Amino acid sequence: MSFSDVYNSWKADPEGFWMEAAQAIDWGTPPTKALTDKGNGLYEWFADGTVNTCWNAVDRHVLAGHGQRVAIIHDSPITQSKHEITYEELQTRVSLLAGALKAKGIEAGDRVIIYMPMVPEAIEAMLACARIGAIHSVVFGGFAANELAVRIDDCTPKAIIAASCGLEPGRVVHYKPLLDGAIELATHKPEFCVVFQREQEVAKLKEDRDVDWHGFQAGVAPADCVNVPGNHPAYILYTSGTTGAPKGVVRHTGGHLVALNWTMKNIYNVDPGDVFWAASDVGWVVGHSYICYAPLVHGNTTIVFEGKPVGTPDAGTFWRVIQEHNVVSFFTAPTAIRAVKREDPKGEFIKKYDLSSLKALYLAGERADPDTIEWAGKALGVPVYDHWWQTETGWTIAGMPAGIETLPVKIGSPSVPMPGYDVQMLDDAGHPMPAGELGAIAIKLPLPPGTLPTLWNAEDRFRTSYLTAFPGYYETGDAGMKDEDGYLYIMARTDDVINVAGHRLSTGGMEEVLAGHPDVAECAVIGVSDALKGQMPVGFLCLSKGVNRPHAEITAEVVKLVRDKIGPVAAFKLAVVVDRLPKTRSGKILRATMVKIADGEAFKMPATIDDPAILDEIKAALQTIGYAKG
C-alpha cells in the first residue's frame, strides 16, 4: 500500500481508520466508536472504551513471553554508568512503586508532579501513576522554584516525586532545595513527597512530609493496573505560553495509546524488540511520547541517556551509544546535531564507530536547516528525516512515513501531513493560500487521537489560544507554505514572520541562507523595530571551531549571501558574531527575548532559559551595532 493510499483511506473513513488502529491496543472494554463530537470545537477519542496505559506499556509484553526483553537502557556518560532493565524487572519495579503510592492514598484522578532527571526511575514514576490512574505532570528537573510553584498551584498535586539532584557536566543541580522552595511559595501544598536519593547527593528529608523512594516501598503489596475511561487524562504537560501562566496540555489515555503505537512502525520504522533512541528529556513532550510511552507500548527497547551531545566526554557520544546498543532509529533535535557539527565539522568522531545498526536519523523541535541535514546525511550515510509537531499534538503532524513508503526527501521540508491531519495554509481572513504562498498553518478540526482535547482547567484559554483565529481549525502558531506535491515548509513561528516595508518575510528563510555559509555553525535572525521600514532583520552568527578570519569579513559575506538568495527586499544589512545563542533547555532559540533586548524593552526572564548570562552577551553584541540602548 502506498502512503497516498493510506492517507486517502483515513480521509475517506477516519472513524474506520482509527478503530482499526485501536485494535493494536489491549482494552478493558473496547470502544464502540472512535470520535465523540462534544460540540463547540471540542472532541474526544475512544471515550467509551476503558484501558490502562501501564498494562499496554509493560504487563502485556511480559504476558506475551517477552519478559526478558530489555525495556530500558540507562546510559549515563555523566556518571559513567550503564544498566539495563527488562520488561519483567520493570513490571516488578513499577507495580511496587504504584503499590506504595496507593498505600499513601493516591488514586485514579489524583495529580502527581514528577521532578526528576534522566534516570529510569523517572520513567518508572510515570508508569506507576498510569498504573493506578493517577495523572502525572512531569516538570523538567532543575526548573526554578517559582516555575515549579506555579505548576503546583495549577494542577494541585496530592504528591510530588523528586530526585535529590540532577547532574550536568561538572556540576550537581540541587533539586531538593528547589522543591522545598517551590512548596513554600505555592498556595497548594502536596500531602507528601517521595525523594529518590542519588548517591551524588543525599538530600535532607522533611520528617512529616518527605518519604524515601526505597523506604516507602518496603513491605507494600504491588498494585494491579486500574482501567480508566478512554477520555481520562493520562498526563498534564506544561508548555510556556508567550504570556503569563504556562498552559497545561492535557493528553487523554485512549487516543494517546492508539496514536503513539501507530507511529512507531509507520513513521519511525521499528519493529518490536528494536532499540529506539530519542535523545531528549522526560520533561519535554519528546521525552513523554518517545522516551517513555511509544517505544514501550510498541514493545521496543528505549534509551534513557544522561549526557550531552558534546562534552560528555566528546562529540562522539551519540555515535558510541548507537554502536554499543545497536540503535535502529535515532531521534534528536537539530540543535544537538549542530553542536556536534560545530565541534567536529569533518565528522572525524563518526568514523570511529560502527553505525551499521542505524536506519535513519529523525530531527524535530525546531527548523532543521538544510546545512545540518546535508552534513548529517553525508557523515552518517543514512537518510535524515526532518519532521514537525508540537507539545500540543504529541506526535508528528508532518513527517516521513518511512514504515509505509519512503517518499523523496525535499531538504527544508518535514515532508507530508500524516493521517489525521488535514493541514491548510490560510491568509489572515482564513482563506486557503495557493501552493508556494506563505500563510498561517492551520489544521482542520477534529485533530486526530493523541492530540490535546483541551487545556487543564482552562477551556476558555484553549479556545482563545487555538480555535478562535480560524473557526473550524486548530491554529498551529506556525507560518509556512505547501508546494504542488503537498509537502509542507515550516518557515517560522507566526511571531517570527517580519514585515519589512510591507513585505512579509520569514526569518527562517534568512537563517537558512546564513547557515549555508561554510564558517557558520549556528545562527539566528530576528526582526528589530525600525522607524523607517517597520522591522529590520538582524543576524547572529556562531562560528565553527577553528575559524579565525576577521568577523567583519564573514558578516559582509553573509549580508551578500542574503541579498543574492532572497534579494534586496530582505533589507538584510546587519549581522554580528556571538559565541553562543540564548536557548531553552530543550534547544529552542529564544528569539522573542532577543527582539525585546534589541528594542530596549523590558522583558521577563524566560523560565526555560539554559544560561541567563548569554542574554548579557547578546545585549553587548547588539550595542556594537547600535541596538539594545537603554
Side-chain angles (χ1 to χ4, degrees):
M1 221 175 170
S2 72
F3 175 69
S4 69
D5 289 342
V6 174
Y7 189 81
N8 291 332
S9 77
W10 159 70
K11 236 177 161 170
D13 180 13
E15 183 73 15
F17 182 91
W18 292 117
M19 284 301 275
E20 189 182 332
Q23 288 173 14
I25 296 301
D26 277 15
W27 298 87
T29 335
T32 63
K33 60 176 190 168
L35 183 69
T36 304
D37 182 347
K38 298 180 69 189
N40 222 344
L42 300 184
Y43 298 89
E44 289 178 350
W45 291 93
F46 310 111
D48 72 348
T50 65
V51 70
N52 182 277
T53 297
C54 187
W55 173 271
N56 278 281
V58 184
D59 300 62
R60 68 167 176 167
H61 305 308
V62 177
L63 198 66
H66 304 305
Q68 294 315 300
R69 180 183 293 167
V70 175
I72 297 171
I73 297 170
H74 186 229
D75 187 307
S76 169
I78 292 183
T79 60
Q80 291 172 340
S81 66
K82 289 169 223 174
H83 73 278
E84 298 183 342
I85 299 169
T86 64
Y87 273 98
E88 199 163 43
E89 290 168 322
L90 186 60
Q91 184 183 35
T92 304
R93 292 166 71 141
V94 169
S95 56
L96 282 171
L97 177 59
L101 291 171
K102 194 174 154 186
K104 293 277 287 176
I106 301 289
E107 49 196 42
D110 287 340
R111 273 82 58 215
V112 176
I113 279 182
I114 298 171
Y115 185 66
M116 297 184 91
M118 286 295 284
V119 290
E121 287 78 6
I123 304 291
E124 290 166 16
M126 294 164 80
L127 292 167
C129 289
R131 193 171 189 87
I132 52 178
I135 303 165
H136 66 66
S137 186
V138 181
V139 177
F140 182 85
F143 234 10
N146 176 50
E147 291 299 321
L148 180 52
V150 169
R151 288 154 176 77
I152 292 171
D153 281 338
D154 192 72
C155 76
T156 59
K158 197 182 265 190
I160 298 179
I161 303 177
S164 56
C165 66
L167 304 170
E168 293 282 328
R171 70 189 178 104
V172 173
V173 184
H174 315 288
Y175 284 9
K176 190 60 171 43
L178 293 169
L179 174 66
D180 293 340
I183 294 172
E184 203 159 297
L185 287 169
T187 312
H188 171 85
K189 310 291 181 195
E191 286 175 22
F192 66 98
C193 297
V194 180
V195 180
F196 172 65
Q197 301 278 22
R198 299 191 73 181
E199 58 190 55
Q200 288 76 14
E201 175 170 275
V202 176
K204 200 170 169 323
L205 301 187
K206 282 206 186 317
E207 248 173 57
D208 50 346
R209 186 194 75 202
D210 301 341
V211 296
D212 174 75
W213 171 281
H214 294 292
F216 102 123
Q217 294 184 45
V220 301
D224 289 330
C225 295
V226 175
N227 281 324
V228 296
N231 60 359
H232 179 80
Y235 69 73
I236 303 162
L237 176 57
Y238 288 93
T239 177
S240 39
T242 36
T243 52
K247 296 186 283 206
V249 168
V250 172
R251 200 79 65 208
H252 279 178
T253 304
H256 180 234
L257 286 167
V258 173
L260 289 186
N261 184 69
W262 184 89
T263 64
M264 289 305 289
K265 179 61 188 167
N266 292 298
I267 297 173
Y268 300 104
N269 200 15
V270 287
D271 295 310
D274 286 344
V275 180
F276 178 84
W277 180 25
S280 178
D281 189 281
V282 285
W284 313 124
V285 70
V286 174
H288 282 61
S289 294
Y290 292 106
I291 297 173
C292 182
Y293 290 115
L296 297 176
V297 169
H298 193 250
N300 289 97
T301 298
T302 187
I303 296 182
V304 174
F305 171 74
E306 188 177 38
K308 300 277 181 210
V310 296
T312 60
D314 53 41
T317 308
F318 279 177
W319 323 129
R320 171 192 66 75
V321 171
I322 290 169
Q323 171 185 293
E324 272 180 31
H325 306 303
N326 292 310
V327 174
V328 174
S329 209
F330 177 42
F331 176 167
T332 191
T335 187
I337 300 296
R338 281 196 292 267
V340 171
K341 171 174 162 252
R342 188 181 185 183
E343 236 8 68
D344 181 22
K346 294 195 175 74
E348 301 295 341
F349 275 109
I350 295 174
K351 301 182 185 113
K352 298 181 184 173
Y353 298 96
D354 172 6
L355 305 182
S356 55
S357 64
L358 187 68
K359 286 203 293 210
L361 166 65
Y362 291 81
L363 298 174
E366 51 179 324
R367 274 176 60 84
D369 55 286
D371 205 51
T372 300
I373 293 176
E374 281 164 353
W375 179 87
K378 204 168 113 199
L380 295 170
V382 299
V384 179
Y385 299 134
D386 182 17
H387 61 318
W388 169 64
W389 47 291
Q390 304 177 318
T391 301
E392 287 87 347
T393 66
W395 61 283
T396 305
I397 302 170
M400 177 61 70
I404 301 172
E405 179 188 7
T406 48
L407 304 171
V409 168
K410 296 190 184 192
I411 290 192
S413 166
S415 301
V416 294
M418 290 296 106
Y421 295 98
D422 178 348
V423 182
Q424 303 287 337
M425 311 293 140
L426 305 176
D427 66 14
D428 294 343
H431 305 304
M433 301 289 281
E437 298 277 320
L438 191 66
I441 308 177
I443 302 164
K444 206 166 186 332
L445 296 174
L447 291 177
T451 58
L452 84 169
T454 185
L455 294 172
W456 182 254
N457 285 343
E459 199 177 284
D460 290 343
R461 189 173 180 197
F462 171 68
R463 284 182 209 290
T464 53
S465 298
Y466 304 108
L467 306 182
T468 49
F470 305 110
Y473 290 89
Y474 164 87
E475 179 193 12
T476 65
D478 281 304
M481 59 192 189
K482 219 193 277 199
D483 71 9
E484 53 289 345
D485 299 325
Y487 280 62
L488 299 188
Y489 290 81
I490 317 302
M491 300 310 291
R493 291 296 291 170
T494 40
D495 318 341
D496 296 330
V497 171
I498 61 172
N499 197 317
V500 180
H503 299 281
R504 280 166 64 87
L505 295 164
S506 152
T507 53
M510 295 183 213
E511 287 174 4
E512 208 164 277
V513 175
L514 302 187
H517 186 288
D519 294 342
V520 174
E522 190 163 32
C523 62
V525 173
I526 61 169
V528 299
S529 297
D530 181 81
L532 184 63
K533 297 197 173 192
Q535 283 177 301
M536 288 277 281
V538 172
F540 297 81
L541 316 172
C542 301
L543 305 181
S544 291
K545 218 173 176 172
V547 173
N548 48 19
R549 300 168 50 211
H551 291 175
E553 258 176 45
I554 296 170
T555 55
E557 287 163 10
V558 298
V559 167
K560 184 177 180 314
L561 269 178
V562 173
R563 181 178 268 276
D564 294 347
K565 294 262 172 75
I566 295 176
V569 61
F572 184 85
K573 301 185 178 76
L574 291 171
V576 44
V577 173
V578 292
D579 191 39
R580 50 201 186 143
L581 296 169
K583 293 181 184 178
T584 65
R585 292 195 179 93
S586 64
K588 288 187 172 51
I589 297 168
L590 292 160
R591 294 180 180 83
T593 308
M594 293 165 77
V595 170
K596 287 208 162 90
I597 293 172
D599 292 344
E601 289 176 22
F603 65 91
K604 180 179 149 218
M605 179 67 70
T608 52
I609 190 163
D610 197 26
D611 182 354
I614 302 178
L615 296 179
D616 297 328
E617 298 167 19
I618 294 296
K619 186 173 180 177
L622 279 161
Q623 286 170 341
T624 66
I625 54 170
Y627 286 92
K629 305 180 185 86

